[in-house]
Amino acid sequence: MMASDIHHRTQDFIKLYPVVLRDLKEVYGTQASDVLITVSSGTGALEAATSNFFSKGDKVVVCCAGKFGERWVELASAYGLNAVVLKAEYGDAVSPGRVETALKENPDARGVMFQASETSTGAAHDVKAIAEITREAGALCIVDAITGLGTMPLDIDGWGLDIVVGGSQKAFMIPPGLAFISVSPKAWEMNQTANLPRLYFDLKREKKMAAKGESSWTPNTSLILALAEALKYIKEIGMDKLVENAQLLARATRLAALELGLELFAPNSPSASVTAIRAPKGMDSGEIVKGFRNQFGSVIANGQGTMKGQIFRIAHLGYFDFADLFAMVAELELILHTKGLPVKFGRGVAAVQNVYAESALAKETVPA
Ligand SMILES: *Cc1c(COP(=O)(O)O)cnc(C)c1O
């Protein structure tokens, strides 16, 4: 990132950017789609997904299972789309069956928007099944995979995922400020007639510039450089291994929580990006978050919105590994003990150790 004193309209940048775009496409695992970069946080690319493929008044089905689902609803409303909203209780996911029914009742729906992983609740959607139903209905399948990429399998070409949004600060392991968006041929076709207003996030313009090895606007070159390195790292370990790592950590965390007598917030369709756990009865989850920070310098997240105080969330994205999780669960045991809960030290940690010992990862060496 310290090499960022390059100008974005010079050969220095034009040599770098196509390599980054190519590696990003490889890590996304698509041949058919273009993968573009927006200079924004994740929401910028969600906005691009909303504004580039529809016209005013177009109907879309929006799955809303948490704070990020609510963001899709807000975006659809801001752009004058006619949103059929499928709401799920916090902690639940919208079932593919509900999407199917909604598309039957609304055959004019032009798109389906949902989260692969709803980070606010720790629930995951069945991306493959929803995509299949969406494709059969002829609608555009738009996935906020900002915490899905790198934590769950996403077969863009095989499953027919038309738009897949990612973000730099999640499993890509670099600071916030870049977002990614894959665009399928079917989405480009819809783009030709889509008349919603757009300028900064005009993806057709972005594609044209990308073909010349440039970005539309001044990019945050430090982050492009960071992304180049992160992508090299992901390619070295393999995207499937990154996903497997997150899945194992998530499973181990769930087992540890249950061993400690805690309740999972999204037990039926847990995501591998983050595990949301209910605070013990009578305890504010903020106290657990504070315990991690103050006693151990560890960072976990509280709930958002009305979930604040109710749940705490442990992430599994990117650089996290078992060494982190051994410590996190040991810390959790100590924090609960400090709060007067009857914790048997080591029970949660043993659950994590068991998952590690059983996993293939234990037999492999981790790249430096
Ligand atoms: C983090 C996140 C976003 C993006 O939020 P930004 O603050 O705009 O980066 C969107 N959706 C999900 C599911 C996320 O986890």
Side-chain angles (χ1 to χ4, degrees):
M1 292 178 74
M2 292 184 68
S4 66
D5 55 344
I6 57 173
H7 188 280
H8 65 284
R9 302 287 180 223
T10 62
Q11 282 307 312
D12 285 343
F13 188 78
I14 294 167
K15 257 191 273 170
L16 168 75
Y17 198 55
V19 175
V20 172
L21 288 171
R22 189 198 64 207
D23 285 353
L24 187 61
K25 190 174 155 112
E26 187 180 330
V27 160
Y28 254 65
T30 176
Q31 307 272 330
S33 289
D34 292 297
V35 185
L36 302 169
I37 295 175
T38 61
V39 177
S40 66
S41 79
T43 306
L46 297 182
E47 177 149 345
T50 309
S51 66
N52 277 267
F53 308 104
F54 302 111
S55 299
K56 205 166 174 70
D58 274 357
K59 195 179 267 184
V60 288
V61 171
V62 182
C63 301
C64 180
K67 301 310 285 181
F68 292 105
E70 288 161 22
R71 194 163 299 176
W72 274 138
V73 176
E74 277 186 88
L75 278 163
S77 152
Y79 279 91
L81 294 176
N82 178 5
V84 177
V85 180
L86 307 180
K87 244 184 163 340
E89 294 288 325
Y90 289 162
D92 285 339
V94 177
S95 69
R98 287 183 67 196
V99 177
E100 190 168 23
T101 306
L103 285 171
K104 280 211 177 99
E105 287 169 359
N106 299 279
D108 53 339
R110 307 205 69 201
V112 175
M113 301 157 122
F114 61 103
Q115 270 63 39
S117 148
E118 174 49 79
T119 323
S120 67
T121 67
H125 279 115
D126 186 341
V127 179
K128 187 181 181 189
I130 294 175
E132 193 176 339
I133 290 159
T134 304
R135 191 181 48 210
E136 273 165 19
L140 212 59
C141 180
I142 303 183
V143 192
D144 168 358
I146 292 176
T147 53
L149 281 161
T151 67
M152 59 203 279
L154 293 169
D155 183 353
I156 292 176
D157 298 344
W159 298 353
L161 313 180
D162 294 300
I163 306 290
V164 175
V165 174
S168 57
Q169 80 271 34
K170 301 287 169 69
F172 288 86
M173 303 171 271
I174 58 172
L178 289 176
F180 320 122
I181 183 164
S182 69
V183 183
S184 73
K186 175 168 143 195
W188 284 126
E189 218 174 283
M190 280 179 67
N191 170 264
Q192 290 189 357
T193 53
N195 69 11
L196 287 180
R198 53 189 172 267
L199 181 84
Y200 190 74
F201 294 126
D202 184 337
L203 295 175
K204 195 169 152 194
R205 182 179 191 142
E206 199 62 54
K207 179 181 175 171
K208 233 162 121 186
M209 290 302 284
K212 292 193 280 178
E214 295 187 58
S215 58
S216 290
W217 322 105
T218 307
N220 33 17
T221 47
S222 58
L223 283 178
I224 302 284
L225 286 157
L227 180 61
E229 294 306 312
L231 290 171
K232 269 188 225 161
Y233 176 73
I234 295 173
K235 280 174 46 174
E236 187 186 326
I237 54 173
M239 190 59 156
D240 50 340
K241 279 282 185 309
L242 192 68
V243 168
E244 188 187 343
N245 181 55
Q247 302 249 336
L248 283 169
L249 292 176
R251 189 156 69 83
T253 305
R254 292 195 296 272
L255 291 172
L258 295 174
E259 274 300 320
L260 295 173
L262 299 170
E263 211 181 312
L264 301 171
F265 190 61
N268 299 325
S269 48
S271 112
S273 67
V274 64
T275 298
I277 302 168
R278 285 186 197 272
K281 281 214 168 28
M283 192 188 292
D284 188 299
S285 62
E287 289 187 41
I288 296 172
V289 177
K290 239 189 254 163
F292 271 104
R293 193 181 55 226
N294 295 347
Q295 284 176 250
F296 302 105
S298 300
V299 178
I300 64 160
N302 202 324
Q304 295 169 256
T306 56
M307 291 170 278
K308 190 163 182 203
Q310 313 290 314
I311 61 171
F312 58 98
R313 294 175 296 151
I314 298 175
H316 317 299
L317 291 153
Y319 280 129
F320 291 113
D321 60 23
F322 271 92
D324 298 307
L325 195 57
F326 296 142
M328 293 299 281
V329 173
E331 291 165 19
L332 178 60
E333 290 179 355
L334 284 160
I335 291 163
L336 294 175
H337 171 75
T338 309
K339 303 287 174 198
L341 272 103
V343 173
K344 188 139 188 303
F345 288 144
R347 278 190 74 156
V349 177
V352 180
Q353 287 171 314
N354 280 324
V355 172
Y356 180 82
E358 286 160 17
S359 79
L361 281 186
K363 301 184 197 88
E364 291 174 21
T365 49
V366 180

